[in-house]
Amino acid sequence: MSVLSLSSVHGQVSYSIPEEMAKGSLVGNIAQDLGLDIKRLKSGNARIHVGNSAEYIELNKERGVLLVKERIDREALCRQTTPCALHFQIIMENPIEFYPVKIMIQDQNDNAPQVLYPVQTSSSLVAEMVPRSADVGYLVTKVVAVDVDSGQNAWLSYKLQKATDRALFEVGLQNGEIRTIRQVNDKDAVKQRLTVVVEDNGQPSRSATVNVNVAVADSFPEVLSEFTDFTHDKEYNDNLTFYLVLALAVVSFLFITCLVVIISVKIYRWRQSRVFYHSNLPVIPYYPPRYADTLGTGTLQHVYNYEVCRTTDSRKSDCKFVRPCSQNVLIMDPSSTGTMQRMQSENNILDEPDSTLEVCDILFLILYS
């Protein structure tokens, strides 16, 4: 026979936490707030029952605390419902007990305003027409924006940031209405451009920007011609910017390439000079075919021989020929491609130790045909 003991506790514990808390963040000490012992949580197999709802909170029975299990996005959880709260129960067994828990989700300013009108498109240009007969306070258009945050974070304000003519238009701070503040005249430009900033009331605040094109004209053809030129000018400026950037990139690439080539050539020549300087290879002169060097004084095409003689008395005008003291013969290779060889005979010096005769070199050239 089994006995079921059922106990219902009517007290409720409430917590309040901001959205977007990190996983594992502390929500509250549930054991202390319910007046329970940690041993009771363990023995009663305490757990969280949330029904069909997603489980964003977990119970740590070892510490008796509630922790964030999944990041909570208030907008995804409650949308525009205010207040936004999580409701669940902590259930324990032996005996069965129920402890209702409520966790309030505080909104954080994590979303910027979204502009609904005018629609911003890159393919088409939308302009609001204002007749030149418009009076002061003429309603040009209205900027419509929303913020998915709640409370004061969703309060929006509108400000005119830039305008072609600030003395002609104004924007309502709370409603975003754009109205004229003076009489439109013929001197006002046809093309008017306004930049409106939509800002929320959160801390820190977030904002969005919208451009409003206004055409001051009485006829549609005038507006069409003016804004067609405006579109073409914008496309021309975009193309010009692209080509300028492309030209700058090409010039920079060519400059870097030339610089690298010049440095490479300099380094190559420097290395060649270093190799030549440290090498011990002999320098071999080049002689054209059928030519040969004669003691480093010139070139002769054919075979020549010469004799060196001296006189017996340098004071006399006549010369006495003696036997050759030296003889050099240059021999040309008959094939004209061989290497010239130089043969030198031994020098015979006259045995006259006391003579002070001057030696004169007489060169006899005999041409062999």
Side-chain angles (χ1 to χ4, degrees), residues 6 46 50 65 97 101 125 140 156 209 227 251 268 281 285 328 351 366:
L6 194 56
V50 294
V65 296
E97 296 177 341
V101 179
L125 183 64
V140 179
L156 301 180
T209 304
F227 279 87
V251 171
Y268 175 78
L281 298 177
N328 292 341
D351 297 328
I366 303 175

Side-chain angles (χ1 to χ4, degrees), residues 93-107:
E93 302 173 353
N94 300 323
I96 296 179
E97 296 177 341
F98 300 89
Y99 296 93
V101 179
K102 178 182 177 180
I103 299 179
M104 301 294 297
I105 308 300
Q106 300 175 0
D107 181 62

Side-chain angles (χ1 to χ4, degrees), residues 114-122 124-128 140-145 158-164 166 169 171 176 178 191-198 207-215 227 230 234:
Q114 299 176 1
V115 178
L116 302 181
Y117 185 85
V119 180
Q120 302 294 294
T121 59
S122 57
S124 62
L125 183 64
V126 179
E128 305 291 339
V140 179
T141 187
K142 181 178 180 179
V143 177
V144 180
Y158 303 85
K159 298 177 182 179
L160 182 61
Q161 185 181 48
K162 292 189 299 183
T164 304
R166 279 187 170 271
F169 301 101
V171 179
I178 300 177
K191 293 185 297 185
Q192 300 283 338
R193 184 164 188 158
L194 312 177
T195 301
V196 179
V197 177
V198 184
S207 62
T209 304
V210 59
N211 294 319
V212 181
N213 297 301
V214 179
F227 279 87
F230 175 80
K234 183 177 182 300

Side-chain angles (χ1 to χ4, degrees), residues 9-42:
V9 180
H10 298 286
Q12 183 179 15
V13 179
S14 297
Y15 299 100
S16 179
I17 61 173
E19 65 171 329
E20 305 293 343
M21 288 184 67
K23 295 173 62 175
S25 300
L26 177 66
V27 176
N29 192 327
I30 190 65
Q32 179 180 350
D33 295 336
L34 291 176
L36 299 175
D37 189 6
I38 294 180
K39 294 181 179 180
R40 172 60 180 142
L41 294 178
K42 294 180 180 179

Side-chain angles (χ1 to χ4, degrees), residues 267-324:
I267 294 176
Y268 175 78
R269 290 181 177 178
W270 177 79
R271 293 185 62 184
Q272 290 294 105
S273 63
R274 296 287 297 178
V275 170
F276 179 77
Y277 177 78
H278 290 288
S279 63
N280 296 323
L281 298 177
V283 179
I284 302 176
Y286 169 77
Y287 299 107
R290 305 183 65 85
Y291 286 84
D293 188 14
T294 57
L295 295 179
T297 58
T299 57
L300 295 176
Q301 184 176 5
H302 296 285
V303 178
Y304 296 93
N305 55 4
Y306 62 92
E307 295 179 352
V308 179
C309 304
R310 63 182 180 179
T311 60
T312 57
D313 190 0
S314 59
R315 297 177 182 177
K316 297 181 180 180
S317 60
D318 57 343
C319 294
K320 181 180 179 180
F321 293 93
V322 297
R323 58 188 178 89

Side-chain angles (χ1 to χ4, degrees), residues 71-355:
R71 185 183 64 88
I72 302 174
D73 186 358
R74 196 210 68 85
E75 289 74 33
L77 179 64
C78 301
R79 298 186 182 276
Q80 295 300 323
T81 302
T82 304
C84 180
L86 284 175
H87 298 273
F88 57 90
Q89 292 178 337
I90 294 180
I91 301 176
M92 292 190 296
E93 302 173 353
N94 300 323
I96 296 179
E97 296 177 341
F98 300 89
Y99 296 93
V101 179
K102 178 182 177 180
I103 299 179
M104 301 294 297
I105 308 300
Q106 300 175 0
D107 181 62
Q108 300 295 306
N109 191 30
D110 55 345
N111 294 283
Q114 299 176 1
V115 178
L116 302 181
Y117 185 85
V119 180
Q120 302 294 294
T121 59
S122 57
S123 59
S124 62
L125 183 64
V126 179
E128 305 291 339
M129 287 190 61
V130 176
R132 294 190 178 276
S133 59
D135 294 330
V136 178
Y138 178 85
L139 178 60
V140 179
T141 187
K142 181 178 180 179
V143 177
V144 180
V146 295
D147 195 322
V148 296
D149 292 324
S150 63
Q152 65 177 7
N153 293 330
W155 298 351
L156 301 180
S157 59
Y158 303 85
K159 298 177 182 179
L160 182 61
Q161 185 181 48
K162 292 189 299 183
T164 304
D165 188 355
R166 279 187 170 271
L168 184 57
F169 301 101
E170 68 175 358
V171 179
L173 181 62
Q174 302 298 331
N175 54 22
E177 293 181 350
I178 300 177
R179 295 180 179 272
T180 59
I181 56 178
R182 65 170 176 82
Q183 180 72 37
V184 180
N185 54 50
D186 296 336
K187 295 182 180 179
D188 293 326
V190 176
K191 293 185 297 185
Q192 300 283 338
R193 184 164 188 158
L194 312 177
T195 301
V196 179
V197 177
V198 184
E199 190 175 27
D200 62 23
N201 197 38
Q203 295 297 331
S205 63
R206 294 178 178 269
S207 62
T209 304
V210 59
N211 294 319
V212 181
N213 297 301
V214 179
V216 180
D218 294 325
S219 62
F220 183 74
E222 183 181 359
V223 175
L224 183 63
S225 62
E226 288 290 337
F227 279 87
T228 301
D229 296 339
F230 175 80
T231 305
H232 290 333
D233 293 342
K234 183 177 182 300
E235 293 178 354
Y236 173 76
N237 291 333
D238 293 341
N239 294 333
L240 181 61
T241 302
F242 170 75
Y243 288 121
L244 288 176
V245 173
L246 181 62
L248 179 61
V250 171
V251 171
S252 301
F253 174 76
L254 293 177
F255 173 75
I256 295 175
T257 303
C258 294
L259 191 62
V260 170
V261 170
I262 293 174
I263 294 176
S264 300
V265 172
K266 292 289 186 181
I267 294 176
Y268 175 78
R269 290 181 177 178
W270 177 79
R271 293 185 62 184
Q272 290 294 105
S273 63
R274 296 287 297 178
V275 170
F276 179 77
Y277 177 78
H278 290 288
S279 63
N280 296 323
L281 298 177
V283 179
I284 302 176
Y286 169 77
Y287 299 107
R290 305 183 65 85
Y291 286 84
D293 188 14
T294 57
L295 295 179
T297 58
T299 57
L300 295 176
Q301 184 176 5
H302 296 285
V303 178
Y304 296 93
N305 55 4
Y306 62 92
E307 295 179 352
V308 179
C309 304
R310 63 182 180 179
T311 60
T312 57
D313 190 0
S314 59
R315 297 177 182 177
K316 297 181 180 180
S317 60
D318 57 343
C319 294
K320 181 180 179 180
F321 293 93
V322 297
R323 58 188 178 89
C325 59
S326 66
Q327 183 177 8
N328 292 341
V329 180
L330 300 179
I331 302 176
M332 175 63 69
D333 188 1
S335 62
S336 300
T337 59
T339 304
M340 298 299 298
Q341 297 180 353
R342 184 180 62 191
M343 299 178 61
Q344 182 178 359
S345 61
E346 297 181 352
N347 293 330
N348 296 321
I349 302 175
L350 297 177
D351 297 328
E352 297 178 0
D354 297 331
S355 65

